[in-house]
PDB file of all heavy atoms in Angstrom:
ATOM      1  N   GLY A 110    -118.750-147.946-149.089  1.00 92.00           N
ATOM      2  CA  GLY A 110    -119.280-146.585-149.017  1.00 92.00           C
ATOM      3  C   GLY A 110    -120.313-146.325-150.095  1.00 92.00           C
ATOM      4  O   GLY A 110    -120.758-147.243-150.785  1.00 92.00           O
ATOM      5  N   HIS A 111    -120.642-145.051-150.273  1.00 95.00           N
ATOM      6  CA  HIS A 111    -121.700-144.671-151.190  1.00 95.00           C
ATOM      7  C   HIS A 111    -121.346-143.381-151.920  1.00 95.00           C
ATOM      8  O   HIS A 111    -120.725-142.486-151.368  1.00 95.00           O
ATOM      9  CB  HIS A 111    -123.038-144.483-150.478  1.00 95.00           C
ATOM     10  CG  HIS A 111    -123.522-145.708-149.799  1.00 95.00           C
ATOM     11  ND1 HIS A 111    -124.397-146.606-150.420  1.00 95.00           N
ATOM     12  CD2 HIS A 111    -123.254-146.252-148.579  1.00 95.00           C
ATOM     13  CE1 HIS A 111    -124.634-147.606-149.598  1.00 95.00           C
ATOM     14  NE2 HIS A 111    -123.953-147.411-148.472  1.00 95.00           N
ATOM     15  N   TRP A 112    -121.767-143.300-153.207  1.00 95.00           N
ATOM     16  CA  TRP A 112    -121.637-142.081-154.018  1.00 95.00           C
ATOM     17  C   TRP A 112    -122.934-141.302-153.944  1.00 95.00           C
ATOM     18  O   TRP A 112    -124.029-141.869-154.084  1.00 95.00           O
ATOM     19  CB  TRP A 112    -121.317-142.439-155.453  1.00 95.00           C
ATOM     20  CG  TRP A 112    -119.921-142.962-155.677  1.00 95.00           C
ATOM     21  CD1 TRP A 112    -119.526-144.278-155.750  1.00 95.00           C
ATOM     22  CD2 TRP A 112    -118.757-142.175-155.817  1.00 95.00           C
ATOM     23  NE1 TRP A 112    -118.189-144.349-155.947  1.00 95.00           N
ATOM     24  CE2 TRP A 112    -117.680-143.086-156.015  1.00 95.00           C
ATOM     25  CE3 TRP A 112    -118.490-140.810-155.836  1.00 95.00           C
ATOM     26  CZ2 TRP A 112    -116.364-142.659-156.186  1.00 95.00           C
ATOM     27  CZ3 TRP A 112    -117.172-140.371-156.028  1.00 95.00           C
ATOM     28  CH2 TRP A 112    -116.132-141.281-156.205  1.00 95.00           C
ATOM     29  N   TYR A 113    -122.796-139.984-153.750  1.00 97.00           N
ATOM     30  CA  TYR A 113    -123.962-139.066-153.718  1.00 97.00           C
ATOM     31  C   TYR A 113    -123.674-137.849-154.536  1.00 97.00           C
ATOM     32  O   TYR A 113    -122.520-137.425-154.720  1.00 97.00           O
ATOM     33  CB  TYR A 113    -124.241-138.620-152.286  1.00 97.00           C
ATOM     34  CG  TYR A 113    -124.900-139.653-151.397  1.00 97.00           C
ATOM     35  CD1 TYR A 113    -124.144-140.578-150.696  1.00 97.00           C
ATOM     36  CD2 TYR A 113    -126.292-139.696-151.277  1.00 97.00           C
ATOM     37  CE1 TYR A 113    -124.726-141.541-149.897  1.00 97.00           C
ATOM     38  CE2 TYR A 113    -126.894-140.653-150.442  1.00 97.00           C
ATOM     39  CZ  TYR A 113    -126.117-141.559-149.783  1.00 97.00           C
ATOM     40  OH  TYR A 113    -126.712-142.510-148.974  1.00 97.00           O
ATOM     41  N   THR A 114    -124.755-137.249-155.044  1.00 96.00           N
ATOM     42  CA  THR A 114    -124.657-135.862-155.511  1.00 96.00           C
ATOM     43  C   THR A 114    -125.324-135.007-154.427  1.00 96.00           C
ATOM     44  O   THR A 114    -126.405-135.371-153.947  1.00 96.00           O
ATOM     45  CB  THR A 114    -125.396-135.664-156.854  1.00 96.00           C
ATOM     46  OG1 THR A 114    -126.750-136.057-156.731  1.00 96.00           O
ATOM     47  CG2 THR A 114    -124.739-136.450-157.961  1.00 96.00           C
ATOM     48  N   VAL A 115    -124.665-133.939-154.052  1.00 97.00           N
ATOM     49  CA  VAL A 115    -125.228-133.039-153.056  1.00 97.00           C
ATOM     50  C   VAL A 115    -125.265-131.641-153.632  1.00 97.00           C
ATOM     51  O   VAL A 115    -124.390-131.248-154.386  1.00 97.00           O
ATOM     52  CB  VAL A 115    -124.418-133.060-151.738  1.00 97.00           C
ATOM     53  CG1 VAL A 115    -124.439-134.445-151.110  1.00 97.00           C
ATOM     54  CG2 VAL A 115    -122.961-132.641-151.984  1.00 97.00           C
ATOM     55  N   HIS A 116    -126.307-130.896-153.300  1.00 96.00           N
ATOM     56  CA  HIS A 116    -126.476-129.540-153.784  1.00 96.00           C
ATOM     57  C   HIS A 116    -126.323-128.561-152.627  1.00 96.00           C
ATOM     58  O   HIS A 116    -126.889-128.777-151.565  1.00 96.00           O
ATOM     59  CB  HIS A 116    -127.864-129.377-154.440  1.00 96.00           C
ATOM     60  CG  HIS A 116    -128.006-128.073-155.174  1.00 96.00           C
ATOM     61  ND1 HIS A 116    -128.385-126.916-154.560  1.00 96.00           N
ATOM     62  CD2 HIS A 116    -127.838-127.778-156.479  1.00 96.00           C
ATOM     63  CE1 HIS A 116    -128.432-125.944-155.449  1.00 96.00           C
ATOM     64  NE2 HIS A 116    -128.094-126.419-156.632  1.00 96.00           N
ATOM     65  N   THR A 117    -125.510-127.535-152.856  1.00 93.00           N
ATOM     66  CA  THR A 117    -125.305-126.543-151.798  1.00 93.00           C
ATOM     67  C   THR A 117    -125.328-125.132-152.387  1.00 93.00           C
ATOM     68  O   THR A 117    -124.963-124.914-153.528  1.00 93.00           O
ATOM     69  CB  THR A 117    -123.940-126.762-151.094  1.00 93.00           C
ATOM     70  OG1 THR A 117    -123.732-125.749-150.097  1.00 93.00           O
ATOM     71  CG2 THR A 117    -122.772-126.702-152.081  1.00 93.00           C
ATOM     72  N   ALA A 118    -125.768-124.197-151.549  1.00 86.00           N
ATOM     73  CA  ALA A 118    -125.760-122.802-151.920  1.00 86.00           C
ATOM     74  C   ALA A 118    -124.698-122.041-151.140  1.00 86.00           C
ATOM     75  O   ALA A 118    -124.702-120.816-151.066  1.00 86.00           O
ATOM     76  CB  ALA A 118    -127.137-122.168-151.661  1.00 86.00           C
ATOM     77  N   ASN A 119    -123.704-122.794-150.603  1.00 88.00           N
ATOM     78  CA  ASN A 119    -122.638-122.195-149.809  1.00 88.00           C
ATOM     79  C   ASN A 119    -121.822-121.234-150.664  1.00 88.00           C
ATOM     80  O   ASN A 119    -121.311-121.613-151.713  1.00 88.00           O
ATOM     81  CB  ASN A 119    -121.745-123.283-149.219  1.00 88.00           C
ATOM     82  CG  ASN A 119    -120.639-122.746-148.351  1.00 88.00           C
ATOM     83  OD1 ASN A 119    -119.594-122.342-148.829  1.00 88.00           O
ATOM     84  ND2 ASN A 119    -120.887-122.766-147.041  1.00 88.00           N
ATOM     85  N   GLY A 120    -121.700-119.985-150.166  1.00 90.00           N
ATOM     86  CA  GLY A 120    -120.992-118.969-150.938  1.00 90.00           C
ATOM     87  C   GLY A 120    -119.522-119.239-151.100  1.00 90.00           C
ATOM     88  O   GLY A 120    -118.925-118.884-152.144  1.00 90.00           O
ATOM     89  N   ILE A 121    -118.868-119.845-150.112  1.00 92.00           N
ATOM     90  CA  ILE A 121    -117.433-120.137-150.210  1.00 92.00           C
ATOM     91  C   ILE A 121    -117.172-121.183-151.297  1.00 92.00           C
ATOM     92  O   ILE A 121    -116.252-121.018-152.120  1.00 92.00           O
ATOM     93  CB  ILE A 121    -116.893-120.594-148.871  1.00 92.00           C
ATOM     94  CG1 ILE A 121    -117.018-119.503-147.804  1.00 92.00           C
ATOM     95  CG2 ILE A 121    -115.425-121.060-148.998  1.00 92.00           C
ATOM     96  CD1 ILE A 121    -116.535-119.913-146.431  1.00 92.00           C
ATOM     97  N   VAL A 122    -117.993-122.213-151.330  1.00 93.00           N
ATOM     98  CA  VAL A 122    -117.834-123.255-152.368  1.00 93.00           C
ATOM     99  C   VAL A 122    -117.995-122.630-153.749  1.00 93.00           C
ATOM    100  O   VAL A 122    -117.213-122.920-154.669  1.00 93.00           O
ATOM    101  CB  VAL A 122    -118.853-124.364-152.152  1.00 93.00           C
ATOM    102  CG1 VAL A 122    -118.751-125.407-153.286  1.00 93.00           C
ATOM    103  CG2 VAL A 122    -118.638-125.046-150.797  1.00 93.00           C
ATOM    104  N   ASP A 123    -118.995-121.773-153.908  1.00 92.00           N
ATOM    105  CA  ASP A 123    -119.233-121.114-155.203  1.00 92.00           C
ATOM    106  C   ASP A 123    -118.040-120.261-155.570  1.00 92.00           C
ATOM    107  O   ASP A 123    -117.597-120.257-156.751  1.00 92.00           O
ATOM    108  CB  ASP A 123    -120.475-120.262-155.146  1.00 92.00           C
ATOM    109  CG  ASP A 123    -120.785-119.568-156.453  1.00 92.00           C
ATOM    110  OD1 ASP A 123    -121.224-120.229-157.382  1.00 92.00           O
ATOM    111  OD2 ASP A 123    -120.553-118.334-156.522  1.00 92.00           O
ATOM    112  N   THR A 124    -117.478-119.525-154.646  1.00 94.00           N
ATOM    113  CA  THR A 124    -116.319-118.653-154.919  1.00 94.00           C
ATOM    114  C   THR A 124    -115.098-119.433-155.307  1.00 94.00           C
ATOM    115  O   THR A 124    -114.365-119.074-156.240  1.00 94.00           O
ATOM    116  CB  THR A 124    -116.004-117.772-153.682  1.00 94.00           C
ATOM    117  OG1 THR A 124    -117.144-116.966-153.389  1.00 94.00           O
ATOM    118  CG2 THR A 124    -114.812-116.886-153.985  1.00 94.00           C
ATOM    119  N   VAL A 125    -114.847-120.561-154.598  1.00 94.00           N
ATOM    120  CA  VAL A 125    -113.728-121.420-154.932  1.00 94.00           C
ATOM    121  C   VAL A 125    -113.873-121.945-156.354  1.00 94.00           C
ATOM    122  O   VAL A 125    -112.932-121.919-157.162  1.00 94.00           O
ATOM    123  CB  VAL A 125    -113.624-122.597-153.946  1.00 94.00           C
ATOM    124  CG1 VAL A 125    -112.601-123.613-154.427  1.00 94.00           C
ATOM    125  CG2 VAL A 125    -113.223-122.088-152.559  1.00 94.00           C
ATOM    126  N   SER A 126    -115.053-122.448-156.701  1.00 93.00           N
ATOM    127  CA  SER A 126    -115.283-122.989-158.039  1.00 93.00           C
ATOM    128  C   SER A 126    -115.134-121.902-159.127  1.00 93.00           C
ATOM    129  O   SER A 126    -114.457-122.127-160.130  1.00 93.00           O
ATOM    130  CB  SER A 126    -116.698-123.591-158.124  1.00 93.00           C
ATOM    131  OG  SER A 126    -116.959-124.036-159.421  1.00 93.00           O
ATOM    132  N   ARG A 127    -115.723-120.733-158.879  1.00 92.00           N
ATOM    133  CA  ARG A 127    -115.658-119.660-159.863  1.00 92.00           C
ATOM    134  C   ARG A 127    -114.199-119.155-160.009  1.00 92.00           C
ATOM    135  O   ARG A 127    -113.739-118.862-161.128  1.00 92.00           O
ATOM    136  CB  ARG A 127    -116.566-118.520-159.418  1.00 92.00           C
ATOM    137  CG  ARG A 127    -116.521-117.284-160.249  1.00 92.00           C
ATOM    138  CD  ARG A 127    -117.723-116.369-159.982  1.00 92.00           C
ATOM    139  NE  ARG A 127    -118.005-116.282-158.563  1.00 92.00           N
ATOM    140  CZ  ARG A 127    -117.375-115.437-157.725  1.00 92.00           C
ATOM    141  NH1 ARG A 127    -116.421-114.675-158.178  1.00 92.00           N
ATOM    142  NH2 ARG A 127    -117.732-115.403-156.449  1.00 92.00           N
ATOM    143  N   SER A 128    -113.479-119.053-158.909  1.00 94.00           N
ATOM    144  CA  SER A 128    -112.105-118.569-158.947  1.00 94.00           C
ATOM    145  C   SER A 128    -111.204-119.568-159.666  1.00 94.00           C
ATOM    146  O   SER A 128    -110.267-119.189-160.387  1.00 94.00           O
ATOM    147  CB  SER A 128    -111.586-118.307-157.545  1.00 94.00           C
ATOM    148  OG  SER A 128    -112.353-117.307-156.901  1.00 94.00           O
ATOM    149  N   LEU A 129    -111.442-120.876-159.473  1.00 94.00           N
ATOM    150  CA  LEU A 129    -110.713-121.894-160.216  1.00 94.00           C
ATOM    151  C   LEU A 129    -110.899-121.739-161.708  1.00 94.00           C
ATOM    152  O   LEU A 129    -109.937-121.776-162.480  1.00 94.00           O
ATOM    153  CB  LEU A 129    -111.149-123.309-159.781  1.00 94.00           C
ATOM    154  CG  LEU A 129    -110.464-123.963-158.594  1.00 94.00           C
ATOM    155  CD1 LEU A 129    -111.164-125.261-158.245  1.00 94.00           C
ATOM    156  CD2 LEU A 129    -108.986-124.217-158.886  1.00 94.00           C
ATOM    157  N   LEU A 130    -112.140-121.566-162.107  1.00 91.00           N
ATOM    158  CA  LEU A 130    -112.461-121.424-163.507  1.00 91.00           C
ATOM    159  C   LEU A 130    -111.788-120.171-164.099  1.00 91.00           C
ATOM    160  O   LEU A 130    -111.198-120.232-165.176  1.00 91.00           O
ATOM    161  CB  LEU A 130    -113.975-121.323-163.702  1.00 91.00           C
ATOM    162  CG  LEU A 130    -114.481-121.233-165.137  1.00 91.00           C
ATOM    163  CD1 LEU A 130    -114.106-122.499-165.920  1.00 91.00           C
ATOM    164  CD2 LEU A 130    -115.990-121.017-165.161  1.00 91.00           C
ATOM    165  N   ASN A 131    -111.842-119.073-163.383  1.00 93.00           N
ATOM    166  CA  ASN A 131    -111.250-117.811-163.865  1.00 93.00           C
ATOM    167  C   ASN A 131    -109.737-117.898-163.972  1.00 93.00           C
ATOM    168  O   ASN A 131    -109.126-117.182-164.772  1.00 93.00           O
ATOM    169  CB  ASN A 131    -111.654-116.659-162.952  1.00 93.00           C
ATOM    170  CG  ASN A 131    -113.125-116.314-163.062  1.00 93.00           C
ATOM    171  OD1 ASN A 131    -113.763-116.643-164.041  1.00 93.00           O
ATOM    172  ND2 ASN A 131    -113.641-115.653-162.033  1.00 93.00           N
ATOM    173  N   ALA A 132    -109.134-118.777-163.157  1.00 93.00           N
ATOM    174  CA  ALA A 132    -107.663-118.933-163.162  1.00 93.00           C
ATOM    175  C   ALA A 132    -107.216-120.062-164.077  1.00 93.00           C
ATOM    176  O   ALA A 132    -106.055-120.474-164.057  1.00 93.00           O
ATOM    177  CB  ALA A 132    -107.161-119.167-161.764  1.00 93.00           C
ATOM    178  N   ASP A 133    -108.164-120.609-164.893  1.00 91.00           N
ATOM    179  CA  ASP A 133    -107.886-121.726-165.786  1.00 91.00           C
ATOM    180  C   ASP A 133    -107.426-122.979-165.039  1.00 91.00           C
ATOM    181  O   ASP A 133    -106.666-123.789-165.559  1.00 91.00           O
ATOM    182  CB  ASP A 133    -106.791-121.351-166.814  1.00 91.00           C
ATOM    183  CG  ASP A 133    -107.256-120.228-167.732  1.00 91.00           C
ATOM    184  OD1 ASP A 133    -108.448-120.204-168.065  1.00 91.00           O
ATOM    185  OD2 ASP A 133    -106.435-119.386-168.102  1.00 91.00           O
ATOM    186  N   GLY A 134    -107.936-123.128-163.806  1.00 91.00           N
ATOM    187  CA  GLY A 134    -107.632-124.330-163.032  1.00 91.00           C
ATOM    188  C   GLY A 134    -108.834-125.252-162.996  1.00 91.00           C
ATOM    189  O   GLY A 134    -109.933-124.857-163.362  1.00 91.00           O
ATOM    190  N   PHE A 135    -108.634-126.494-162.560  1.00 89.00           N
ATOM    191  CA  PHE A 135    -109.777-127.386-162.370  1.00 89.00           C
ATOM    192  C   PHE A 135    -109.498-128.332-161.195  1.00 89.00           C
ATOM    193  O   PHE A 135    -108.350-128.649-160.872  1.00 89.00           O
ATOM    194  CB  PHE A 135    -110.097-128.184-163.648  1.00 89.00           C
ATOM    195  CG  PHE A 135    -109.026-129.110-164.108  1.00 89.00           C
ATOM    196  CD1 PHE A 135    -108.931-130.396-163.628  1.00 89.00           C
ATOM    197  CD2 PHE A 135    -108.113-128.695-165.080  1.00 89.00           C
ATOM    198  CE1 PHE A 135    -107.943-131.270-164.081  1.00 89.00           C
ATOM    199  CE2 PHE A 135    -107.136-129.556-165.538  1.00 89.00           C
ATOM    200  CZ  PHE A 135    -107.027-130.837-165.029  1.00 89.00           C
ATOM    201  N   LEU A 136    -110.579-128.712-160.548  1.00 92.00           N
ATOM    202  CA  LEU A 136    -110.479-129.532-159.340  1.00 92.00           C
ATOM    203  C   LEU A 136    -110.127-130.978-159.656  1.00 92.00           C
ATOM    204  O   LEU A 136    -110.700-131.567-160.540  1.00 92.00           O
ATOM    205  CB  LEU A 136    -111.820-129.467-158.589  1.00 92.00           C
ATOM    206  CG  LEU A 136    -111.886-130.152-157.218  1.00 92.00           C
ATOM    207  CD1 LEU A 136    -111.064-129.376-156.218  1.00 92.00           C
ATOM    208  CD2 LEU A 136    -113.330-130.258-156.761  1.00 92.00           C
ATOM    209  N   LEU A 137    -109.190-131.525-158.909  1.00 89.00           N
ATOM    210  CA  LEU A 137    -108.852-132.921-159.006  1.00 89.00           C
ATOM    211  C   LEU A 137    -109.540-133.744-157.911  1.00 89.00           C
ATOM    212  O   LEU A 137    -109.818-134.919-158.093  1.00 89.00           O
ATOM    213  CB  LEU A 137    -107.323-133.114-158.883  1.00 89.00           C
ATOM    214  CG  LEU A 137    -106.476-132.520-159.997  1.00 89.00           C
ATOM    215  CD1 LEU A 137    -104.996-132.707-159.676  1.00 89.00           C
ATOM    216  CD2 LEU A 137    -106.807-133.122-161.331  1.00 89.00           C
ATOM    217  N   GLY A 138    -109.833-133.087-156.794  1.00 91.00           N
ATOM    218  CA  GLY A 138    -110.514-133.778-155.693  1.00 91.00           C
ATOM    219  C   GLY A 138    -110.412-132.948-154.427  1.00 91.00           C
ATOM    220  O   GLY A 138    -109.608-131.989-154.329  1.00 91.00           O
ATOM    221  N   ALA A 139    -111.223-133.317-153.434  1.00 94.00           N
ATOM    222  CA  ALA A 139    -111.185-132.633-152.144  1.00 94.00           C
ATOM    223  C   ALA A 139    -111.598-133.626-151.069  1.00 94.00           C
ATOM    224  O   ALA A 139    -112.390-134.527-151.294  1.00 94.00           O
ATOM    225  CB  ALA A 139    -112.132-131.439-152.155  1.00 94.00           C
ATOM    226  N   ALA A 140    -111.047-133.453-149.869  1.00 93.00           N
ATOM    227  CA  ALA A 140    -111.341-134.354-148.758  1.00 93.00           C
ATOM    228  C   ALA A 140    -111.632-133.522-147.525  1.00 93.00           C
ATOM    229  O   ALA A 140    -110.954-132.543-147.230  1.00 93.00           O
ATOM    230  CB  ALA A 140    -110.174-135.299-148.491  1.00 93.00           C
ATOM    231  N   GLN A 141    -112.663-133.969-146.779  1.00 90.00           N
ATOM    232  CA  GLN A 141    -113.056-133.308-145.530  1.00 90.00           C
ATOM    233  C   GLN A 141    -112.077-133.727-144.441  1.00 90.00           C
ATOM    234  O   GLN A 141    -111.807-134.898-144.257  1.00 90.00           O
ATOM    235  CB  GLN A 141    -114.467-133.686-145.163  1.00 90.00           C
ATOM    236  CG  GLN A 141    -115.270-132.631-144.459  1.00 90.00           C
ATOM    237  CD  GLN A 141    -115.089-132.670-142.945  1.00 90.00           C
ATOM    238  OE1 GLN A 141    -114.480-133.595-142.425  1.00 90.00           O
ATOM    239  NE2 GLN A 141    -115.582-131.677-142.275  1.00 90.00           N
ATOM    240  N   THR A 142    -111.498-132.731-143.730  1.00 84.00           N
ATOM    241  CA  THR A 142    -110.507-133.037-142.730  1.00 84.00           C
ATOM    242  C   THR A 142    -110.820-132.323-141.416  1.00 84.00           C
ATOM    243  O   THR A 142    -110.093-131.448-140.967  1.00 84.00           O
ATOM    244  CB  THR A 142    -109.099-132.620-143.172  1.00 84.00           C
ATOM    245  OG1 THR A 142    -109.097-131.196-143.465  1.00 84.00           O
ATOM    246  CG2 THR A 142    -108.650-133.384-144.402  1.00 84.00           C
ATOM    247  N   GLY A 143    -111.954-132.628-140.823  1.00 74.00           N
ATOM    248  CA  GLY A 143    -112.342-132.010-139.585  1.00 74.00           C
ATOM    249  C   GLY A 143    -113.038-130.684-139.809  1.00 74.00           C
ATOM    250  O   GLY A 143    -114.185-130.653-140.311  1.00 74.00           O
ATOM    251  N   ASP A 144    -112.382-129.570-139.477  1.00 72.00           N
ATOM    252  CA  ASP A 144    -113.001-128.258-139.614  1.00 72.00           C
ATOM    253  C   ASP A 144    -112.798-127.649-140.969  1.00 72.00           C
ATOM    254  O   ASP A 144    -113.329-126.565-141.262  1.00 72.00           O
ATOM    255  CB  ASP A 144    -112.463-127.296-138.556  1.00 72.00           C
ATOM    256  CG  ASP A 144    -112.855-127.727-137.144  1.00 72.00           C
ATOM    257  OD1 ASP A 144    -113.904-128.409-137.006  1.00 72.00           O
ATOM    258  OD2 ASP A 144    -112.145-127.379-136.194  1.00 72.00           O
ATOM    259  N   ASP A 145    -111.998-128.262-141.824  1.00 84.00           N
ATOM    260  CA  ASP A 145    -111.733-127.666-143.133  1.00 84.00           C
ATOM    261  C   ASP A 145    -111.648-128.748-144.193  1.00 84.00           C
ATOM    262  O   ASP A 145    -111.880-129.928-143.948  1.00 84.00           O
ATOM    263  CB  ASP A 145    -110.493-126.802-143.111  1.00 84.00           C
ATOM    264  CG  ASP A 145    -109.212-127.603-142.770  1.00 84.00           C
ATOM    265  OD1 ASP A 145    -109.322-128.841-142.630  1.00 84.00           O
ATOM    266  OD2 ASP A 145    -108.150-127.013-142.676  1.00 84.00           O
ATOM    267  N   TRP A 146    -111.368-128.315-145.420  1.00 93.00           N
ATOM    268  CA  TRP A 146    -111.235-129.220-146.543  1.00 93.00           C
ATOM    269  C   TRP A 146    -109.828-129.057-147.136  1.00 93.00           C
ATOM    270  O   TRP A 146    -109.319-127.953-147.202  1.00 93.00           O
ATOM    271  CB  TRP A 146    -112.269-128.899-147.646  1.00 93.00           C
ATOM    272  CG  TRP A 146    -113.648-129.371-147.310  1.00 93.00           C
ATOM    273  CD1 TRP A 146    -114.551-128.735-146.486  1.00 93.00           C
ATOM    274  CD2 TRP A 146    -114.305-130.523-147.817  1.00 93.00           C
ATOM    275  NE1 TRP A 146    -115.714-129.453-146.432  1.00 93.00           N
ATOM    276  CE2 TRP A 146    -115.602-130.534-147.248  1.00 93.00           C
ATOM    277  CE3 TRP A 146    -113.938-131.542-148.686  1.00 93.00           C
ATOM    278  CZ2 TRP A 146    -116.514-131.546-147.548  1.00 93.00           C
ATOM    279  CZ3 TRP A 146    -114.830-132.550-148.969  1.00 93.00           C
ATOM    280  CH2 TRP A 146    -116.129-132.545-148.398  1.00 93.00           C
ATOM    281  N   ILE A 147    -109.266-130.135-147.616  1.00 93.00           N
ATOM    282  CA  ILE A 147    -108.052-130.043-148.389  1.00 93.00           C
ATOM    283  C   ILE A 147    -108.385-130.343-149.841  1.00 93.00           C
ATOM    284  O   ILE A 147    -109.014-131.349-150.153  1.00 93.00           O
ATOM    285  CB  ILE A 147    -106.934-131.007-147.860  1.00 93.00           C
ATOM    286  CG1 ILE A 147    -105.672-130.799-148.703  1.00 93.00           C
ATOM    287  CG2 ILE A 147    -107.398-132.445-147.869  1.00 93.00           C
ATOM    288  CD1 ILE A 147    -104.447-131.443-148.094  1.00 93.00           C
ATOM    289  N   PHE A 148    -108.046-129.397-150.716  1.00 95.00           N
ATOM    290  CA  PHE A 148    -108.358-129.483-152.120  1.00 95.00           C
ATOM    291  C   PHE A 148    -107.097-129.789-152.912  1.00 95.00           C
ATOM    292  O   PHE A 148    -105.983-129.386-152.556  1.00 95.00           O
ATOM    293  CB  PHE A 148    -108.915-128.148-152.664  1.00 95.00           C
ATOM    294  CG  PHE A 148    -110.259-127.789-152.113  1.00 95.00           C
ATOM    295  CD1 PHE A 148    -110.390-127.218-150.868  1.00 95.00           C
ATOM    296  CD2 PHE A 148    -111.401-127.976-152.875  1.00 95.00           C
ATOM    297  CE1 PHE A 148    -111.643-126.855-150.355  1.00 95.00           C
ATOM    298  CE2 PHE A 148    -112.660-127.620-152.384  1.00 95.00           C
ATOM    299  CZ  PHE A 148    -112.775-127.050-151.122  1.00 95.00           C
ATOM    300  N   ARG A 149    -107.258-130.501-154.040  1.00 92.00           N
ATOM    301  CA  ARG A 149    -106.205-130.692-155.005  1.00 92.00           C
ATOM    302  C   ARG A 149    -106.705-130.178-156.338  1.00 92.00           C
ATOM    303  O   ARG A 149    -107.779-130.550-156.791  1.00 92.00           O
ATOM    304  CB  ARG A 149    -105.801-132.147-155.168  1.00 92.00           C
ATOM    305  CG  ARG A 149    -105.148-132.755-153.933  1.00 92.00           C
ATOM    306  CD  ARG A 149    -104.720-134.198-154.148  1.00 92.00           C
ATOM    307  NE  ARG A 149    -103.627-134.293-155.104  1.00 92.00           N
ATOM    308  CZ  ARG A 149    -103.734-134.743-156.347  1.00 92.00           C
ATOM    309  NH1 ARG A 149    -104.904-135.170-156.816  1.00 92.00           N
ATOM    310  NH2 ARG A 149    -102.692-134.818-157.136  1.00 92.00           N
ATOM    311  N   ALA A 150    -105.910-129.280-156.946  1.00 93.00           N
ATOM    312  CA  ALA A 150    -106.315-128.688-158.236  1.00 93.00           C
ATOM    313  C   ALA A 150    -105.142-128.569-159.153  1.00 93.00           C
ATOM    314  O   ALA A 150    -103.995-128.490-158.717  1.00 93.00           O
ATOM    315  CB  ALA A 150    -106.952-127.323-157.984  1.00 93.00           C
ATOM    316  N   ARG A 151    -105.418-128.574-160.436  1.00 90.00           N
ATOM    317  CA  ARG A 151    -104.351-128.433-161.440  1.00 90.00           C
ATOM    318  C   ARG A 151    -104.449-127.045-162.084  1.00 90.00           C
ATOM    319  O   ARG A 151    -105.530-126.590-162.414  1.00 90.00           O
ATOM    320  CB  ARG A 151    -104.455-129.508-162.497  1.00 90.00           C
ATOM    321  CG  ARG A 151    -103.326-129.483-163.532  1.00 90.00           C
ATOM    322  CD  ARG A 151    -103.516-130.545-164.619  1.00 90.00           C
ATOM    323  NE  ARG A 151    -103.300-131.870-164.074  1.00 90.00           N
ATOM    324  CZ  ARG A 151    -102.099-132.440-163.930  1.00 90.00           C
ATOM    325  NH1 ARG A 151    -100.991-131.770-164.262  1.00 90.00           N
ATOM    326  NH2 ARG A 151    -101.996-133.671-163.469  1.00 90.00           N
TER     327      ARG A 151
END
C-alpha cells in the first residue's frame, strides 16, 4: 500500500478533532468501514 497526507475541510472531521482536544483525548487511529469510520482514541 501507500502512505498519503490528505487535506480536508470537512466540518465533522474538524469537530471530532477539536472535541478530542477539548476533552484531553487523542486519536490512536481510524479505519474506513463502508459508510462510516471507526475511531480509536485514548
Side-chain angles (χ1 to χ4, degrees):
H111 298 268
W112 288 97
Y113 284 86
T114 57
V115 297
H116 190 275
T117 178
N119 183 277
I121 296 178
V122 176
D123 180 74
T124 300
V125 170
S126 177
R127 176 164 42 84
S128 299
L129 271 174
L130 183 63
N131 291 339
D133 296 324
F135 64 86
L136 185 71
L137 296 176
Q141 213 272 350
T142 58
D144 294 333
D145 61 4
W146 285 79
I147 182 167
F148 292 80
R149 293 183 68 252
R151 184 182 290 277

